[in-house]
Every structure is written in C-alpha cells, then in structure tokens.
Amino acid sequence: MFATFTTREAVVMAEGIYRQDGKRGPTWRAVVSAGRDPVTGKRRQIVRTFRTEREAIDWRLETLQRIRAGTYSEPSTMPLGEYLTRWLASRQDLAPSSRTRYESVLRCHIIPDLGHVPLGELRPDHIQDLYDRRAGTSTPFMMHAILHPALDRARRLGMIHRDILDGVIVTGRRNIRTGDHPRRWWGWTELERFLDTAREQEPRYYPLFHTLAATGLRISEALRLRWEDVDLAAGIVRVTESKTTAGRRQVTIDPDTVAVLRDHWREQTMRHEAMGPAWSDRGLVFDRGDGHPMPHRTIAHTMDRIIRHAEVPRLTIHDLRHVHASLLLERGRPMHYVQRRLGHASITQTLGTYAHIVPQTDAADAAAFGDGLRQARQQRTDRGSEARVTET
C-alpha cells in the first residue's frame, strides 16, 4: 500500500500517481495534465515512470509548479551519448591530454551503458548504478568529472529540470591517501643519490632531472620551457604553457638550480655553434642534442637506468613533482604555498594528494591552546590584583 504522506502529497498522489507491478518489482507512474494542444485542441498529458514513489511525487509537484509559473519546457529527448559528445566538442578550454582522457572515458564506460538513454529520462539511479559497477577504481571519479559539468549545463539550458547527480555517491577509490599504506616518495638522501648518479652517468639529462626535482614542474611544462621564460639573474622560471590556467605561474629557483641551468646554457650554446645550420633554433631549455624537443619515452628509459644504478626505489618522471612537494611539506612549508608552486587550481587537490605528509601535531596544538587560555586567565588575575592594590 501507499506510504504516509502529507495532505497535499496525498491529493497529488490520488490525482496522478499510479503503481505498476512488474517482474522487477513495482514502479510508479506520474501523470500531469498540461492543458490542450493549441494546434489540435487535444488534451495533453506528461507521463514519467520512476522506481520509487517519492521520486514520482517530487517530479509531479515540481512539474505542476513549472506549468503554473509558465516556465515548463519538455525535457530533451536527445540521447545522453550524443549530448555528451557535443558537449565535449564545445569544450575548447580543455588541454589535449584531458580531451583524450575524456574521450576514452566516454567511449569505454559512459556511452556503452547509458549512451542510449534520453536526457529527459535520465535518473539518479542510472548514474549510481554506473558508478557502483566500477566501485573501488578511479573510473567513477573520471566519469563524475565529465557528467557533473555536462549535466549542470543541460539543466541550465532547460534540457533537464533538476540536478540528476544530487544524492549520487561517487563510489570510486578515495583520492585522499590517509590510509594505513600511504604512498611514499624519496627523501632527501634518496633524491641526492639519484641526482648525483644522473650527473655522473647521464650528464645530458641531469639539468632536466635537477630542474624537475627543484621546481615541481610537470614534465610537459619543463619540455616546453624556453630560455626567454628563464631569468637566471632573478632566479625565476615562468611557466607560460601548461595544461591548466592555474598552471601558468612563476616559480622561484634556488642558487644551486640557477648554477645548474647556467652551466647547461653554456654547454647548449657550444653545441649550437658547433652544429651550425643543422641546429633547430626553437629556444628550448631542454633539447635532445640538436635543438629539437626531448622524447618523453627516452627520458623515462633514462630515468629507469639512473634509478637502477643509484639503487633507489623506482619512481616515474611525474613522481619527481610529488617528491618536490612532499619534501617542502616535511620542512614545514605551508600547504597553500605548495599549491601555488605546483600550479594546482584548488588547495583541495593538494590536500587530497599530500595530507598524509603534513606532520601530525595534535598534542602540540592542544598544548598551545591550553597555554594560550592559561596566559589569558593569568593576565586577567594580574590585572585584578593590580586594581585591588591601587584601591588600597
């Protein structure tokens, strides 16, 4: 039987909510009268089916309010897959790597499962089932990164009438690494051993690895760096080409890194003069030997060789960025400073990656609070004593 509702909801239910029993359990059919068609004069009805009674009643109430306010429009019948494909094509702000990743997620996960569903018939349980089938992986987070802005835009355009993701739980692997086995990157000793080995065995690649470790730049940012972006006198590197707006930033470098880059500039200048017209003058800071960009795969293989000789735990090129951030945080640098240095758009991203590195100071914090309160009480006691002495 029906659950207990308020008087208003009971009337609505009686007028246009119907239960339908099927092989997979009951569903609820909501019907709203939308007046008569101005062309044919026939009576119009809007019909939707829901899995729960609550959803059917909420939809009917909201639809009636929109009709009475004159703001109702028919939800889009465009399939979700077609809409998401168009939405992605309109996103001119995405970096090439992000676009490729989004296309892969759409093609492999979202479109095969929900691509045929019309936008107007998309329900929260559709999305929740999609996420739950991939629970425990990072895929639900990637799907949510697409669906959240795409469906929000559809809502603002009137293609759907509510926030479909409201109440949906992203059941993927947690981003915040605060569990029993947090990711460990190199410490100071291991980083020094790696860089020392690189300087001895791979001198051509040493300036790149040193710069990555000393600045926290992404490898793509470092390989696009030009000498016009580097001010050795001021000790500043300007990142003008990045995957995000926040990534375009200014990074201060230490005197040792300035010296490494100055020596590298002299060595590169000598190669340029020796090669003459064969040199590709692109102004790149890091080149493969003839002015052309360094191949990413060659850099990765070179780093693996250095790691084996240095006998340090294996890390990737991108992990040098994590090493830089983790060592700064271990030295007590503020989280928001590290965020700006890495070019993160939000401090939430920084916290989600490095929360386990920040020193746990609960005991010290509690002691500091207690000391502050005791000092305030003591000051008040001292002022009262002074006042009594003055009166006498």
Side-chain angles (χ1 to χ4, degrees), residues 148-161:
H148 185 272
L151 294 179
D152 181 66
R153 182 171 184 266
R155 182 182 58 80
R156 287 186 281 107
L157 292 176
M159 302 176 76
I160 55 177
H161 291 157

PDB file of all heavy atoms in Angstrom, residues 148-161:
ATOM      1  N   HIS A 148      29.335  15.786 -14.189  1.00  0.00           N
ATOM      2  CA  HIS A 148      28.933  16.908 -13.338  1.00  0.00           C
ATOM      3  C   HIS A 148      28.806  18.213 -14.134  1.00  0.00           C
ATOM      4  O   HIS A 148      27.738  18.856 -14.125  1.00  0.00           O
ATOM      5  CB  HIS A 148      29.916  17.061 -12.185  1.00  0.00           C
ATOM      6  CG  HIS A 148      29.513  18.105 -11.188  1.00  0.00           C
ATOM      7  ND1 HIS A 148      29.873  19.430 -11.331  1.00  0.00           N
ATOM      8  CD2 HIS A 148      28.777  18.038 -10.055  1.00  0.00           C
ATOM      9  CE1 HIS A 148      29.377  20.128 -10.335  1.00  0.00           C
ATOM     10  NE2 HIS A 148      28.705  19.314  -9.551  1.00  0.00           N
ATOM     11  N   PRO A 149      29.844  18.665 -14.850  1.00  0.00           N
ATOM     12  CA  PRO A 149      29.676  19.919 -15.604  1.00  0.00           C
ATOM     13  C   PRO A 149      28.742  19.764 -16.798  1.00  0.00           C
ATOM     14  O   PRO A 149      28.028  20.711 -17.155  1.00  0.00           O
ATOM     15  CB  PRO A 149      31.105  20.256 -16.043  1.00  0.00           C
ATOM     16  CG  PRO A 149      31.832  18.950 -16.045  1.00  0.00           C
ATOM     17  CD  PRO A 149      31.225  18.145 -14.946  1.00  0.00           C
ATOM     18  N   ALA A 150      28.722  18.584 -17.421  1.00  0.00           N
ATOM     19  CA  ALA A 150      27.882  18.402 -18.609  1.00  0.00           C
ATOM     20  C   ALA A 150      26.398  18.446 -18.244  1.00  0.00           C
ATOM     21  O   ALA A 150      25.597  19.115 -18.921  1.00  0.00           O
ATOM     22  CB  ALA A 150      28.222  17.075 -19.283  1.00  0.00           C
ATOM     23  N   LEU A 151      26.001  17.749 -17.191  1.00  0.00           N
ATOM     24  CA  LEU A 151      24.595  17.739 -16.794  1.00  0.00           C
ATOM     25  C   LEU A 151      24.172  19.064 -16.159  1.00  0.00           C
ATOM     26  O   LEU A 151      23.008  19.458 -16.259  1.00  0.00           O
ATOM     27  CB  LEU A 151      24.332  16.577 -15.834  1.00  0.00           C
ATOM     28  CG  LEU A 151      24.482  15.179 -16.453  1.00  0.00           C
ATOM     29  CD1 LEU A 151      24.223  14.103 -15.414  1.00  0.00           C
ATOM     30  CD2 LEU A 151      23.557  15.012 -17.644  1.00  0.00           C
ATOM     31  N   ASP A 152      25.118  19.750 -15.514  1.00  0.00           N
ATOM     32  CA  ASP A 152      24.800  21.077 -14.973  1.00  0.00           C
ATOM     33  C   ASP A 152      24.479  22.043 -16.109  1.00  0.00           C
ATOM     34  O   ASP A 152      23.544  22.854 -16.011  1.00  0.00           O
ATOM     35  CB  ASP A 152      25.978  21.593 -14.151  1.00  0.00           C
ATOM     36  CG  ASP A 152      25.680  22.960 -13.546  1.00  0.00           C
ATOM     37  OD1 ASP A 152      24.789  23.048 -12.688  1.00  0.00           O
ATOM     38  OD2 ASP A 152      26.347  23.943 -13.941  1.00  0.00           O
ATOM     39  N   ARG A 153      25.215  21.945 -17.192  1.00  0.00           N
ATOM     40  CA  ARG A 153      24.934  22.800 -18.356  1.00  0.00           C
ATOM     41  C   ARG A 153      23.588  22.439 -18.981  1.00  0.00           C
ATOM     42  O   ARG A 153      22.813  23.323 -19.365  1.00  0.00           O
ATOM     43  CB  ARG A 153      26.043  22.640 -19.394  1.00  0.00           C
ATOM     44  CG  ARG A 153      25.883  23.530 -20.628  1.00  0.00           C
ATOM     45  CD  ARG A 153      27.136  23.463 -21.488  1.00  0.00           C
ATOM     46  NE  ARG A 153      27.042  24.365 -22.621  1.00  0.00           N
ATOM     47  CZ  ARG A 153      26.602  23.992 -23.836  1.00  0.00           C
ATOM     48  NH1 ARG A 153      26.222  22.737 -24.043  1.00  0.00           N
ATOM     49  NH2 ARG A 153      26.562  24.853 -24.831  1.00  0.00           N
ATOM     50  N   ALA A 154      23.286  21.137 -19.049  1.00  0.00           N
ATOM     51  CA  ALA A 154      21.994  20.709 -19.593  1.00  0.00           C
ATOM     52  C   ALA A 154      20.839  21.248 -18.750  1.00  0.00           C
ATOM     53  O   ALA A 154      19.793  21.656 -19.283  1.00  0.00           O
ATOM     54  CB  ALA A 154      21.931  19.187 -19.659  1.00  0.00           C
ATOM     55  N   ARG A 155      21.026  21.285 -17.438  1.00  0.00           N
ATOM     56  CA  ARG A 155      19.986  21.812 -16.550  1.00  0.00           C
ATOM     57  C   ARG A 155      19.783  23.303 -16.774  1.00  0.00           C
ATOM     58  O   ARG A 155      18.654  23.803 -16.839  1.00  0.00           O
ATOM     59  CB  ARG A 155      20.349  21.534 -15.097  1.00  0.00           C
ATOM     60  CG  ARG A 155      19.306  22.013 -14.091  1.00  0.00           C
ATOM     61  CD  ARG A 155      19.764  21.733 -12.668  1.00  0.00           C
ATOM     62  NE  ARG A 155      21.036  22.364 -12.380  1.00  0.00           N
ATOM     63  CZ  ARG A 155      21.181  23.644 -12.069  1.00  0.00           C
ATOM     64  NH1 ARG A 155      20.125  24.436 -12.011  1.00  0.00           N
ATOM     65  NH2 ARG A 155      22.382  24.138 -11.806  1.00  0.00           N
ATOM     66  N   ARG A 156      20.894  24.039 -16.900  1.00  0.00           N
ATOM     67  CA  ARG A 156      20.784  25.484 -17.097  1.00  0.00           C
ATOM     68  C   ARG A 156      20.163  25.835 -18.453  1.00  0.00           C
ATOM     69  O   ARG A 156      19.562  26.893 -18.617  1.00  0.00           O
ATOM     70  CB  ARG A 156      22.164  26.137 -16.962  1.00  0.00           C
ATOM     71  CG  ARG A 156      22.663  26.178 -15.508  1.00  0.00           C
ATOM     72  CD  ARG A 156      23.959  26.938 -15.349  1.00  0.00           C
ATOM     73  NE  ARG A 156      25.122  26.148 -15.747  1.00  0.00           N
ATOM     74  CZ  ARG A 156      25.815  26.328 -16.839  1.00  0.00           C
ATOM     75  NH1 ARG A 156      25.464  27.284 -17.696  1.00  0.00           N
ATOM     76  NH2 ARG A 156      26.863  25.579 -17.126  1.00  0.00           N
ATOM     77  N   LEU A 157      20.317  24.939 -19.434  1.00  0.00           N
ATOM     78  CA  LEU A 157      19.734  25.165 -20.761  1.00  0.00           C
ATOM     79  C   LEU A 157      18.293  24.679 -20.847  1.00  0.00           C
ATOM     80  O   LEU A 157      17.658  24.813 -21.899  1.00  0.00           O
ATOM     81  CB  LEU A 157      20.579  24.446 -21.823  1.00  0.00           C
ATOM     82  CG  LEU A 157      21.987  25.004 -22.055  1.00  0.00           C
ATOM     83  CD1 LEU A 157      22.739  24.144 -23.062  1.00  0.00           C
ATOM     84  CD2 LEU A 157      21.929  26.455 -22.541  1.00  0.00           C
ATOM     85  N   GLY A 158      17.765  24.103 -19.755  1.00  0.00           N
ATOM     86  CA  GLY A 158      16.386  23.633 -19.756  1.00  0.00           C
ATOM     87  C   GLY A 158      16.195  22.273 -20.400  1.00  0.00           C
ATOM     88  O   GLY A 158      15.065  21.839 -20.625  1.00  0.00           O
ATOM     89  N   MET A 159      17.291  21.561 -20.692  1.00  0.00           N
ATOM     90  CA  MET A 159      17.190  20.242 -21.317  1.00  0.00           C
ATOM     91  C   MET A 159      16.784  19.182 -20.292  1.00  0.00           C
ATOM     92  O   MET A 159      16.210  18.150 -20.641  1.00  0.00           O
ATOM     93  CB  MET A 159      18.517  19.869 -21.977  1.00  0.00           C
ATOM     94  CG  MET A 159      18.971  20.866 -23.027  1.00  0.00           C
ATOM     95  SD  MET A 159      20.593  20.486 -23.736  1.00  0.00           S
ATOM     96  CE  MET A 159      20.161  19.130 -24.842  1.00  0.00           C
ATOM     97  N   ILE A 160      17.127  19.415 -19.027  1.00  0.00           N
ATOM     98  CA  ILE A 160      16.643  18.611 -17.909  1.00  0.00           C
ATOM     99  C   ILE A 160      16.180  19.591 -16.836  1.00  0.00           C
ATOM    100  O   ILE A 160      16.575  20.760 -16.844  1.00  0.00           O
ATOM    101  CB  ILE A 160      17.739  17.661 -17.351  1.00  0.00           C
ATOM    102  CG1 ILE A 160      18.995  18.454 -16.970  1.00  0.00           C
ATOM    103  CG2 ILE A 160      18.067  16.572 -18.340  1.00  0.00           C
ATOM    104  CD1 ILE A 160      20.089  17.604 -16.361  1.00  0.00           C
ATOM    105  N   HIS A 161      15.341  19.131 -15.909  1.00  0.00           N
ATOM    106  CA  HIS A 161      14.698  20.046 -14.974  1.00  0.00           C
ATOM    107  C   HIS A 161      15.247  19.992 -13.558  1.00  0.00           C
ATOM    108  O   HIS A 161      14.778  20.730 -12.697  1.00  0.00           O
ATOM    109  CB  HIS A 161      13.193  19.783 -14.933  1.00  0.00           C
ATOM    110  CG  HIS A 161      12.512  20.165 -16.209  1.00  0.00           C
ATOM    111  ND1 HIS A 161      11.309  19.627 -16.600  1.00  0.00           N
ATOM    112  CD2 HIS A 161      12.884  21.022 -17.199  1.00  0.00           C
ATOM    113  CE1 HIS A 161      10.959  20.142 -17.773  1.00  0.00           C
ATOM    114  NE2 HIS A 161      11.901  20.991 -18.151  1.00  0.00           N
TER     115      HIS A 161
END
